[in-house]
Amino acid sequence: MKTTVETGRSLETVGLSRSFGGVHAVRDATVTFQQGKINALIGPNGSGKTTFFNCVTGMIKPDSGTVTFKGHDITRRSPHRIARAGIGRSFQLCRVFPRMTVLENLLVAVQPKGLRDLLSGARNPAEIDRARALLVRVGIDHLENSEARNLSYGQQKLLELAGVLMGDPDTIMLDEPAGGVNPALIGRIATLVQELNAEGKTFLVVEHNMELVMSLSDHVIVFDRGRPIAEGPPETVQSDPRVLEAYLGV
């Protein structure tokens, strides 16, 4: 049963722009993501989706514009301060510590000083219990003592998602969660997103798998050449002439 969540603005940008060497990766992007919903951000390759994500999460600084999260301006905050505010994210290319165990990968995600604390032997029993519960939830608890490099790419995606969940964020940003993942694990990731959303988590998902996007999302925003060109329910967006032109040139 889905938790009742007040619908509103979870995260929004106004006039967000970022250029690289004169090339506009994101241009004057004004976007509102809906709280308590599964929001998808789609667009052709090179349309600025990942750069937009990076600006929102503090990985890179925008040239202009603002990012607001639950009424607070987070535009110039560092990534760790944005994470503490309640935004967690995964990456297009999965980021795990390959020579650390699956369990250690989750524990390092919640250490105040990251890897340094973990290597010093700092282990909190409550955090270990939470990490193990999350491994059960994502379905890789049997790999707890395996080094992350020995997992399949899909399993690493599940591990990365579990790492995001260790911080218990309100809003979760996933950058191509289905990329390079076999169909069985795509189904598992989709189920997890739906379950977590039913519990009140807001999602922002960048994804190229249109079948997944249209079946999973409540609200879809389409980017082309660094700016939003259409938004709305999946069934509306997929028939929008501007979207067809951006993807198909028709």
Side-chain angles (χ1 to χ4, degrees), residues 11 23-24 28-29 37 54 68 86 129 137 140 145 149 159 198 207 220 236 239:
L11 187 149
V23 177
H24 294 280
D28 194 29
K37 302 293 185 179
N54 287 339
T68 305
D129 289 345
R137 178 155 201 182
I140 56 172
N145 296 313
R149 60 178 174 168
L159 174 58
E207 184 53 63
V220 179
T236 300
S239 59

Side-chain angles (χ1 to χ4, degrees), residues 170-230:
D170 298 312
T171 296
I172 300 173
M173 302 175 67
L174 302 179
D175 196 349
E176 296 194 28
V181 178
N182 71 51
L185 286 182
I186 289 175
R188 179 60 184 149
I189 291 170
T191 297
L192 282 167
V193 169
Q194 290 171 322
E195 290 174 352
L196 290 162
N197 177 245
E199 294 166 15
K201 301 291 187 186
T202 299
F203 279 87
L204 285 60
V205 182
V206 165
E207 184 53 63
H208 284 290
N209 184 324
M210 288 300 99
E211 182 179 354
L212 178 63
V213 166
M214 296 305 166
S215 65
L216 191 63
S217 306
D218 300 304
H219 185 72
V220 179
I221 296 169
V222 186
F223 262 38
D224 185 36
R225 300 176 185 177
R227 65 176 62 183
I229 60 168

Side-chain angles (χ1 to χ4, degrees), residues 21-179:
V23 177
H24 294 280
V26 176
R27 183 197 297 260
D28 194 29
T30 296
V31 179
T32 298
F33 296 99
Q34 297 180 358
Q35 183 177 348
K37 302 293 185 179
I38 301 174
N39 303 268
L41 180 60
I42 66 173
N45 287 328
S47 59
K49 303 181 299 296
T50 293
T51 299
F52 179 84
F53 257 38
N54 287 339
C55 286
V56 167
T57 56
M59 302 299 294
I60 59 177
K61 301 302 180 187
D63 299 324
S64 59
T66 59
V67 181
T68 305
F69 181 59
K70 295 187 175 179
H72 299 284
D73 188 337
I74 61 170
T75 312
R76 300 292 168 183
R77 291 189 189 181
S78 62
H80 77 273
R81 288 187 63 205
I82 290 173
R84 288 177 182 174
I87 299 176
R89 73 163 293 181
S90 70
F91 291 85
Q92 185 175 355
L93 297 177
C94 193
R95 294 189 179 186
V96 297
F97 292 98
R99 293 184 179 274
M100 294 174 61
T101 69
V102 165
L103 181 63
E104 288 169 340
N105 265 271
L106 295 196
L107 295 178
V108 75
V110 291
Q111 300 301 320
K113 296 181 181 177
L115 189 57
R116 183 188 304 174
D117 277 356
L118 187 66
L119 293 177
S120 72
R123 297 288 179 97
N124 182 313
E127 290 173 353
I128 292 174
D129 289 345
R130 175 167 171 75
R132 284 177 169 152
L134 286 172
L135 291 177
V136 170
R137 178 155 201 182
V138 302
I140 56 172
D141 51 300
H142 60 294
L143 299 168
E144 173 183 322
N145 296 313
S146 300
E147 290 187 352
R149 60 178 174 168
N150 294 326
L151 274 60
S152 71
Y153 193 67
Q155 290 170 335
Q156 289 184 13
K157 288 273 191 177
L158 290 170
L159 174 58
E160 188 180 36
L161 176 57
V164 171
L165 294 174
M166 280 294 288
D168 194 24
D170 298 312
T171 296
I172 300 173
M173 302 175 67
L174 302 179
D175 196 349
E176 296 194 28

